Amino acid sequence: MFPELIHTTWLTIPTYGVLVAAAFLTALWIAGKLAKEQGLNTDAVTNLGIYCALSALAGAKLMMFLVDIPYYREHPGDIFSLGTLRAGGVFYGGLIAALGVSFWYMRKTKLPALKTADVFAPAIALGHGIGRIGCFMAGCCWGIECDRPWAVTFTNPVANDLVGVPLNRPLHPTQLYESISEFVIFAVLYRMARQRHTEGTVIATYLILYSAVRFIVEFYRYHEQGNLWGGPLDTSQWISLALFLLGTFYLLRVRRSASVQPAQS
């Protein structure tokens, strides 16, 4: 596709980097907008978004190293290579790291945890959807071979040099599968967040919807990283199952509480 937005002798601007930056700024704007509507401290929410972004970058890289330990044991020098620097990492590693930093920061600033998480859920979905378009432009996170009419064929040698995507072979556009799904999830969550809802239900719905999407998409994705736990499912699918169950458990708990409340009055 278009791995480089601008390429001259003196300047190269990768499309992926531009779209990731756009994703971050858009997500931060959405989170701030919803925070203001919900009566939250917008400055604290904005700072939290910045901390989450930095921790997500580190967490995504760390998860990438963890799931591909055998490779990096054999090629330790690649940890500090340009290819590793350019790689986006594993999204779930970034999400887990961001959740950890969020928990610490919300306790420090006394932001209500569930209410704040509900504000960030639509923003995460939208930002991730934009970021996956960046993946598509760069060629990373590509799919397995595909014989469907919507298959995509990468032909740009720069993409092959940067991320190793195979050229001139029809592949599943797994990046677009996930991007389109994230935009739909964003629409659902944004509407939920602006309506009256029980705190925590928006972030729980995000965990359920995204985990389901990611679990399915993984079957059509070429796996560059190793499988941390082995078995028929890859690492991202095991994490998807765990987060899906977590979100489902919370929603069932909320429903159960709502059903017994009238009996107590």
Side-chain angles (χ1 to χ4, degrees):
M1 283 298 150
F2 302 98
E4 295 175 334
L5 197 62
I6 297 176
H7 181 84
T8 67
T9 305
W10 302 278
L11 177 66
T12 297
I13 299 179
T15 308
Y16 176 79
V18 171
L19 284 172
V20 167
F24 169 68
L25 293 175
T26 303
L28 200 60
W29 175 72
I30 288 291
K33 183 176 185 295
L34 290 175
K36 186 175 181 180
E37 291 178 0
Q38 298 297 322
L40 294 171
N41 184 327
T42 53
D43 288 338
V45 169
T46 300
N47 290 335
L48 175 58
I50 295 172
Y51 291 142
C52 283
L54 295 175
S55 60
L57 289 173
K61 296 283 189 185
L62 180 59
M63 180 66 79
M64 182 178 71
F65 295 143
L66 287 176
V67 299
D68 216 5
I69 285 176
Y71 175 83
Y72 287 107
R73 277 179 182 162
E74 294 181 9
H75 308 85
D78 284 359
I79 294 176
F80 306 102
S81 68
L82 184 60
T84 299
L85 180 64
R86 285 171 169 166
V90 179
F91 172 75
Y92 272 138
L95 178 62
I96 293 169
L99 288 174
V101 169
S102 297
F103 180 75
W104 164 78
Y105 185 79
M106 285 187 289
R107 288 194 64 181
K108 179 182 176 182
T109 58
K110 294 182 171 54
L111 280 170
L114 292 177
K115 194 172 183 179
T116 305
D118 284 346
V119 159
F120 272 99
I124 294 171
L126 180 59
H128 196 191
I130 297 171
R132 281 303 185 200
I133 296 176
C135 290
F136 182 68
M137 291 297 182
C140 63
C141 309
W142 67 89
I144 58 176
E145 289 198 40
C146 176
D147 59 359
R148 302 294 183 180
W150 57 82
V152 296
T153 301
F154 293 92
T155 59
N156 193 321
V158 175
N160 178 263
D161 292 339
L162 288 175
V163 300
V165 60
L167 303 180
N168 305 310
R169 286 165 52 189
L171 307 173
H172 276 282
T174 47
Q175 311 95 328
L176 298 185
Y177 294 164
E178 202 165 332
S179 180
I180 293 169
S181 299
E182 286 281 33
F183 290 143
V184 173
I185 292 172
F186 162 72
V188 172
L189 299 182
Y190 187 72
R191 183 176 181 181
M192 280 185 66
R194 302 192 74 187
Q195 294 177 340
R196 188 173 181 179
H197 62 274
T198 302
E199 291 182 6
T201 55
V202 180
I203 186 65
T205 303
Y206 166 75
L207 293 179
I208 292 171
L209 295 179
Y210 177 69
S211 296
V213 167
R214 183 62 180 266
F215 186 89
I216 295 170
V217 169
E218 285 295 305
F219 287 115
Y220 300 96
R221 181 173 166 179
Y222 174 80
H223 296 104
E224 303 168 79
Q225 286 87 28
N227 191 339
L228 186 59
W229 296 302
L233 303 180
D234 65 37
T235 305
S236 293
Q237 287 176 314
W238 284 115
I239 297 174
S240 293
L241 285 174
L243 294 179
F244 183 91
L245 291 174
L246 179 63
T248 301
F249 171 79
Y250 184 80
L251 289 187
L252 290 175
R253 184 180 176 185
V254 168
R255 180 174 294 182
R256 193 179 301 118
S257 298
S259 65
V260 301
Q261 205 166 12
Q264 295 175 339
S265 58

